[in-house]
């Protein structure tokens, strides 16, 4: 059976009224300042902060970045924090957050916030496998029913409920509820999810009560099927949303498929709107996606990997638990100016990571500092007309032997960035 889009809602939604196709007044301004082929540097002006793109957003699931204070995040140049709608609605609850003036007031964060829809809690990435996060998750046309991890009760999350919760939380950017499937899944379920995502965006638009204060982004779905991705891009663009996200990736698909989906979706999205690649946090992926024209990224990777004693460095990663670190009195990264690299040695951090919470906190600080600097360097290199040189230098450090992955070479060719000098013959 073919699953219809908004013009053919199918039996499940046949009785639904005609819904609006636009998001109304937008509380967002996006200005492209400079470009190199597809890559672009822009200013994203939101109610609480003026951001520079490309940018990375640390994930603060329950209104906090583990191990870091808000003052530290500001110090590091963090522009937007991502909050999790599902978890915030469970604890402390959307009504309580609303009573104190929204999440900005509740967590005392004066810069921008983005909340996801809660839909990704249907599935969670675990290495290359996607598994159910919660027991008895049931997806229907009405919404998603979860078994609450707090009290075991069934919780129905509809598109309307997701938006109502996010309106109460009050983030600058809110995400539409989408039907999420495993990245590597094929067959009719992918088509069903994509068309349901389109039907749900209309319900989200209709439910959105604060369009002048919060910008609603739609999410492009369609798995690895280029035809479905094309349909979803065109239908979402027709709704004239403030911004667009590319979802359903970083879940175990091959990197060749990953970059091709990014390139395809970015090419079909408007030039004057921000493009957000969801769940992407590896520095190499961010550089490639930025070359292809994406603007925004989020992931738990920098802070999660810190809790396992791994630090991000220009050459890749530094595993501070390794025995070799015990007598290494250099900083994590001699080129880094962050507080951790100024004051602590690898040996000291090695002595902490296995036993003391302070170890993961210090490495988290450094890793977020690394990601913020990466964002600034991407932005500034495009502004200064030196983006190819930045990419070349980045790849030479990551792959000093010239063994740049083939997928990166292919993506950069499409992006129009010459990296031949970085690759072994």
């Amino acid at each position: 059976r073919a699953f219809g889009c908004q013009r053919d809602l199918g039996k499940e939604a046949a009785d639904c009224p005609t819904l609006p196709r636009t998001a109304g007044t937008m509380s967002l301004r996006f200005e492209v300042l400079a470009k190199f082929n597809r890559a672009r540097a822009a200013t994203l002006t939101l109610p609480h902060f003026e951001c520079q793109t490309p940018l990375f957003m640390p994930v603060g699931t329950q209104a906090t970045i583990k191990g870091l204070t808000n003052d530290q995040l500001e110090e590091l140049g963090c522009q937007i924090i991502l909050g999790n709608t599902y978890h915030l609605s469970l604890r402390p609850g959307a009504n309580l957050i609303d009573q104190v003036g929204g999440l900005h007031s509740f967590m005392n964060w004066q810069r921008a916030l983005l909340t996801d829809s809660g839909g990704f809690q249907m599935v969670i990435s675990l290495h290359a496998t996607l598994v159910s996060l919660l027991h008895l998750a049931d997806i229907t046309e009405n919404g998603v029913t979860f078994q609450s991890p707090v009290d075991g009760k069934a919780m129905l999350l509809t598109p309307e409920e997701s938006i109502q919760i996010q309106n109460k939380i009050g983030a600058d950017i809110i995400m539409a509820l989408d039907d999420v499937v495993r990245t590597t899944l094929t067959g009719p379920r992918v088509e069903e999810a994509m068309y349901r995502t389109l039907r749900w965006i209309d319900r989200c638009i209709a439910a959105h009560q604060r369009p002048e204060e919060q910008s609603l982004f739609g999410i492009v779905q369609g798995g690895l099927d280029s035809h479905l991705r094309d349909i979803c891009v065109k239908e979402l663009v027709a709704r004239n949303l403030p911004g667009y996200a590319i979802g359903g990736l970083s879940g175990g698909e091959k990197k060749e498929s990953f970059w091709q989906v990014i390139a395809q979706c970015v090419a079909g999205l408007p030039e004057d709107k921000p493009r957000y690649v969801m769940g992407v946090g590896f520095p190499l992926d961010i550089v490639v996606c930025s070359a292809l024209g994406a603007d925004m990224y989020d992931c738990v990777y920098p802070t999660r990997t810190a809790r396992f004693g791994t630090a991000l460095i220009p050459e890749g990663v530094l595993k501070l638990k390794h025995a070799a670190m015990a007598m290494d009195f250099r900083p994590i990264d001699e080129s880094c100016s962050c507080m951790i690299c100024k004051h602590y040695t690898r040996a000291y951090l090695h002595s902490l990571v296995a036993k003391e919470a302070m170890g993961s906190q210090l490495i988290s600080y450094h890793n977020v500092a690394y990601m913020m600097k990466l964002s600034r360097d991407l932005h500034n290199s495009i502004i200064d007309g030196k983006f190819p040189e930045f990419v070349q230098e980045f790849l030479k450090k990551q792959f000093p032997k010239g063994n740049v992955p083939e997928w990166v070479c292919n993506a950069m060719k499409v992006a129009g960035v010459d990296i031949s000098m970085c690759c072994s013959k």
Side-chain angles (χ1 to χ4, degrees), residues 19-91:
L19 296 170
R21 295 179 59 83
T22 65
T25 304
M26 301 177 186
S27 57
L28 172 156
R29 186 169 71 253
F30 185 76
E31 180 184 3
V32 176
L33 304 175
K35 294 187 68 177
F36 180 85
N37 293 337
R38 291 186 175 209
R40 73 250 192 102
T43 298
L44 171 62
T45 304
L46 298 168
H48 289 86
F49 202 68
E50 183 177 282
C51 309
Q52 306 298 315
T53 71
L55 66 82
F56 176 79
M57 301 177 286
V59 176
T61 301
Q62 290 191 283
T64 182
I65 308 296
K66 285 184 174 65
L68 299 178
T69 68
N70 289 346
D71 287 344
Q72 289 175 324
L73 292 169
E74 286 191 18
E75 175 184 294
L76 292 173
C78 178
Q79 305 178 81
I80 306 177
I81 292 176
L82 185 144
N84 184 284
T85 295
Y86 172 75
H87 289 288
L88 289 170
S89 69
L90 289 176
R91 288 189 300 235

Side-chain angles (χ1 to χ4, degrees), residues 9 34 69 75 82 96 101 125 193 202 215 231 291 295 304 313 345 363 367 404 406 412-413 423:
L9 294 174
T69 68
E75 175 184 294
L82 185 144
L96 186 149
S125 179
D202 287 329
S215 294
I231 293 172
D295 307 299
R304 177 172 289 172
I313 57 174
T345 66
I363 302 169
N367 283 358
V404 178
E406 184 178 1
M412 288 300 174
K413 185 175 181 180
C423 305

Side-chain angles (χ1 to χ4, degrees), residues 54 286-287 290 374-382 387 390:
I286 289 174
V287 171
S290 295
L374 176 63
S375 299
R376 289 192 299 272
D377 288 348
L378 285 165
H379 178 88
N380 291 335
S381 69
I382 299 169
F387 182 67
F390 169 79

